[in-house]
């Protein structure tokens, strides 16, 4: 079993709860929250925003950043995906995303931060830049991946034996790396990173995760259009 | 719970100050090791190979990196006294949100204030004050962001207070004039021994910034 079954009393509690998730059809940050809710068997209402025309509700719930995702639990909003993930984990205790041990919690939080501050900006630089700037971004990416590969040694997931918070944060790689490689023609995660490639496959196919991916062809169209924006044909 | 605690740090670092405050709040004895960032120790490189940065908290020989992660770690290990995060999950989420806001905005915006001039500096000052005003709004009428006592957001923000004087001198402006409630809050925090002991003298920070400006060739 990948997950323990949700108990009846937890289901009953869920029915008294109102959980809404503001996101878009494609945002990887929103997808992290979908995964957390699914792993815990939490019922929620999904609201897909059009970011070029943000709803009044979204602006009211996230006045500081005006971004998705926002989780609204019984009318109270939580913004920023990492904050939302920890909130979900602390509010619904089934299938914990973080273990009890403080050192292990610190470890997963460290890697979540690493993804946000190192991997994401670097992959965006690879996607958007050209020439020497892209080469520099690629070099930084390679350095970063070495650390990630090292961290997976002796582990099935970033969470160790089972999916944890860090896996949800790295999860974007499982579908977006392939999409970026298709759109850019670049090899972004190659055979130098066998553990990472294996993890990406495992995560992609995980029974709770596999039906959540946004449609592949729709994603290609979206990212192709963005790529052409940054690299107009001369 | 007990066991050797070592902090690898650099005296002007706001990030190191956060961890010093958390350790002091919990009354934890630890060994403070000052790093020379131009000549990093073997221990630092070994304990934080990914970023090679301070602060690094070493507990029973195992490293915890990143200041806010360290503060949460300290709160979770020494959970029998002076709680830094509230117990309610929603209040915890709010605290984490604002600590993250501080991490995203205050350091970079503050740095721009002392590193730039002219038009760029004016923009930096404006953005910096806007962020502080948002934080003032979050503080509201509370004594501390944590309510009656120092909490996670207080620990995340108050170290920057030691740098305010330097920002003001470099930017030729008054933070107190724009954000009086925030300055009142900072001075309230400075009444706490854990904070007063952990923040360096503001004149020393100003000297440090002047020295950095020379090194970086900033006027």
């Amino acid at each position: 079993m990948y997950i323990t079954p949700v108990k009846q009393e937890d289901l009953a509690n869920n029915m008294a709860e109102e959980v809404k998730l503001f996101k878009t059809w494609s945002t990887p940050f929103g997808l992290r929250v979908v995964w957390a809710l699914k792993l815990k068997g939490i019922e929620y209402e999904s609201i897909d925003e059009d970011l070029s025309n943000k709803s009044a509700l979204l602006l009211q719930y996230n006045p500081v950043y005006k971004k998705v995702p926002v989780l609204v639990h019984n009318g109270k909003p939580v913004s920023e995906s990492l904050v939302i993930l920890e909130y979900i984990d602390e509010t619904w205790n089934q299938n914990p995303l973080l273990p009890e041990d403080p050192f292990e919690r610190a470890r997963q939080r460290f890697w979540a931060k690493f993804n946000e501050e190192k991997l994401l900006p670097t992959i965006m630089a690879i996607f958007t830049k050209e020439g020497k700037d892209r080469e520099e971004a690629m070099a930084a990416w390679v350095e970063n991946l070495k650390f990630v590969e090292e961290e997976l040694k002796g582990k099935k997931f970033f969470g160790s034996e089972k999916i944890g918070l860090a896996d949800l944060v790295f999860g974007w790689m499982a579908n977006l790396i392939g999409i970026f490689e298709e759109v850019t023609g670049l090899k972004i995660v190659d055979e130098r990173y066998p553990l990472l490639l294996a993890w990406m496959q495992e995560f992609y196919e995980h029974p709770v995760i596999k039906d959540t991916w946004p449609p592949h062809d729709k994603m290609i169209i979206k990212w192709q259009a963005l790529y052409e924006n940054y690299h107009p044909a001369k | 719970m007990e066991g050797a605690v070592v902090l690898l740090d650099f005296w002007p670092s706001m990030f190191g100050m956060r961890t010093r405050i958390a350790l002091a709040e919990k009354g934890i004895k630890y060994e403070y090791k000052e790093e020379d960032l131009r000549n990093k120790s073997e221990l630092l490189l070994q304990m934080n190979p990914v970023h090679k940065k301070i602060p690094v908290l070493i507990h029973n020989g195992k490293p915890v990196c990143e200041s806010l992660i360290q503060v949460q770690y300290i709160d979770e290990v020494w959970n029998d006294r002076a709680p830094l995060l509230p117990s309610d999950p929603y209040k915890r989420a709010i605290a984490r949100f604002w600590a993250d806001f501080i991490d995203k905005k205050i350091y970079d915006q503050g740095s721009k204030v002392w590193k730039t001039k002219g038009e760029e500096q004016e923009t930096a000052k404006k953005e910096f004050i806007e962020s502080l005003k948002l934080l003032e709004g979050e503080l509201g009428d509370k004594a501390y962001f944590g309510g009656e006592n120092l909490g996670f957001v207080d620990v995340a923000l108050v170290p920057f207070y030691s740098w305010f004087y330097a920002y003001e001198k470099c930017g030729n402006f008054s933070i107190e004039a724009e954000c009086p409630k925030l300055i009142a809050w900072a001075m309230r925090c400075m009444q706490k021994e854990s904070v007063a002991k952990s923040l360096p003298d503001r004149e020393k920070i100003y000297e440090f910034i002047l020295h950095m400006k020379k090194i970086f060739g900033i006027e």
Side-chain angles (χ1 to χ4, degrees), chain A residues 68-98:
Chain A
V68 291
V70 179
L71 185 82
V72 184
H73 182 206
N74 294 333
K76 300 200 291 192
V78 183
S79 303
E80 291 301 300
S81 61
L82 295 189
V83 176
I84 296 171
L85 292 181
E86 293 229 27
Y87 175 76
I88 289 171
D89 206 34
E90 289 175 347
T91 303
W92 292 278
N93 301 127
Q94 62 271 30
N95 290 324
L97 301 175
L98 284 174

Side-chain angles (χ1 to χ4, degrees), chain A:
Chain A
M1 270 292 261
Y2 282 87
I3 54 166
T4 55
V6 180
K7 297 199 202 83
Q8 280 303 315
E9 62 253 33
D10 289 332
L11 276 178
N13 280 334
N14 285 345
M15 287 193 238
E17 313 268 26
E18 188 196 57
V19 181
K20 294 186 191 201
L21 176 60
F22 289 78
K23 59 181 187 64
T24 65
W25 69 272
S26 62
T27 168
F29 301 100
L31 203 47
R32 292 170 175 173
V33 181
V34 168
W35 295 332
L37 293 167
K38 274 199 88 177
L39 282 164
K40 292 183 182 259
I42 299 160
E43 301 258 315
Y44 67 99
E45 182 193 342
S46 192
I47 297 138
D48 276 356
E49 288 277 328
D50 169 5
L51 295 184
S52 65
N53 185 23
K54 292 173 184 178
S55 72
L57 265 183
L58 175 65
L59 300 179
Q60 179 197 320
Y61 284 138
N62 190 359
V64 174
Y65 298 117
K66 306 173 175 53
K67 283 180 167 183
V68 291
V70 179
L71 185 82
V72 184
H73 182 206
N74 294 333
K76 300 200 291 192
V78 183
S79 303
E80 291 301 300
S81 61
L82 295 189
V83 176
I84 296 171
L85 292 181
E86 293 229 27
Y87 175 76
I88 289 171
D89 206 34
E90 289 175 347
T91 303
W92 292 278
N93 301 127
Q94 62 271 30
N95 290 324
L97 301 175
L98 284 174
E100 296 275 313
D101 174 52
F103 188 78
E104 277 300 301
R105 295 161 73 86
R107 184 185 67 80
Q108 288 203 49
R109 285 175 178 143
F110 175 88
W111 287 101
K113 196 162 197 251
F114 181 84
N115 179 77
E116 303 302 84
E117 295 185 354
K118 298 285 179 188
L119 288 189
L120 292 182
T122 319
I123 198 66
M124 284 323 294
I126 291 170
F127 191 83
T128 59
K129 297 195 191 292
E130 308 193 297
K132 193 146 190 303
D133 289 336
R134 170 184 275 182
E135 279 170 33
E136 274 176 24
M138 253 318 199
W141 175 257
V142 165
E143 277 307 302
N144 290 335
L145 279 199
K146 273 197 213 132
F147 289 123
V148 176
E149 181 75 6
E150 182 69 32
E151 182 57 19
L152 277 173
K153 284 206 176 109
K155 296 187 190 74
K156 190 170 181 203
F157 295 103
F158 288 100
S160 211
E161 287 307 298
K162 61 184 186 79
I163 284 186
L165 182 114
D167 296 279
L168 301 192
V169 176
F170 281 107
W172 66 273
M173 296 183 80
N175 77 323
L176 275 172
I177 295 292
I179 287 162
F180 287 172
E181 286 181 342
E182 208 177 312
V183 167
T184 63
L186 297 169
K187 195 87 187 94
I188 299 175
V189 179
D190 60 39
E191 59 283 329
R192 284 177 289 180
Y193 314 102
L195 296 177
L196 182 56
L197 286 169
W199 171 84
M200 282 161 61
Q201 186 76 6
E202 185 80 38
F203 191 84
Y204 190 86
E205 291 170 351
H206 188 285
V208 176
I209 307 293
K210 69 179 167 69
D211 295 326
T212 65
W213 299 113
H216 182 85
D217 34 7
K218 212 175 161 193
M219 288 288 269
I220 292 289
I221 294 168
K222 173 204 158 96
W223 285 99
Q224 184 71 43
L226 265 169
Y227 190 71
E228 278 158 21
N229 252 347
Y230 283 103
H231 308 271
K234 294 189 175 73

Side-chain angles (χ1 to χ4, degrees), chain B residues 41-180:
Chain B
S41 72
E42 264 312 301
L43 184 62
L44 172 57
L45 300 178
Q46 183 196 330
M47 289 286 149
N48 191 357
V50 174
H51 300 297
K52 306 173 178 54
K53 282 181 169 182
I54 56 91
V56 180
L57 182 75
I58 309 171
H59 183 209
N60 291 326
K62 298 204 294 188
V64 180
C65 303
E66 299 298 317
S67 61
L68 291 184
I69 295 175
Q70 290 162 357
V71 173
Q72 287 188 95
Y73 176 83
I74 289 164
D75 204 36
E76 287 168 4
V77 173
W78 290 273
N79 57 11
D80 57 343
R81 61 194 103 147
L84 295 169
L85 275 161
S87 47
D88 171 63
Y90 189 71
K91 292 195 172 124
R92 289 163 78 88
I94 299 299
R96 287 186 175 122
F97 175 87
W98 287 105
D100 175 69
F101 175 85
I102 292 161
D103 260 6
K104 279 182 166 66
K105 304 280 183 187
I106 305 298
Y107 181 78
D108 284 340
Q109 289 172 347
S111 292
K112 282 206 182 99
V113 169
W114 70 264
K115 281 181 182 171
T116 64
K117 300 178 295 177
E119 194 70 44
E120 225 189 319
Q121 194 183 46
E122 290 309 305
T123 305
K125 281 156 64 179
K126 187 166 161 285
E127 287 178 354
F128 182 66
I129 292 294
E130 265 168 30
S131 298
L132 292 185
K133 285 198 161 131
L134 272 173
L135 286 162
E136 253 190 349
E138 174 56 22
L139 177 66
D141 293 322
K142 301 195 293 292
Y144 305 97
F145 288 92
E148 307 281 301
N149 283 303
L150 282 187
F152 193 57
V153 179
D154 302 277
V155 174
L157 184 60
V158 79
F160 290 92
Y161 178 65
S162 64
W163 283 64
F164 279 6
Y165 175 70
Y167 294 155
E168 286 173 327
K169 296 279 273 193
C170 294
N172 192 30
F173 70 130
S174 161
I175 296 172
E176 180 159 20
E178 303 276 359
C179 305

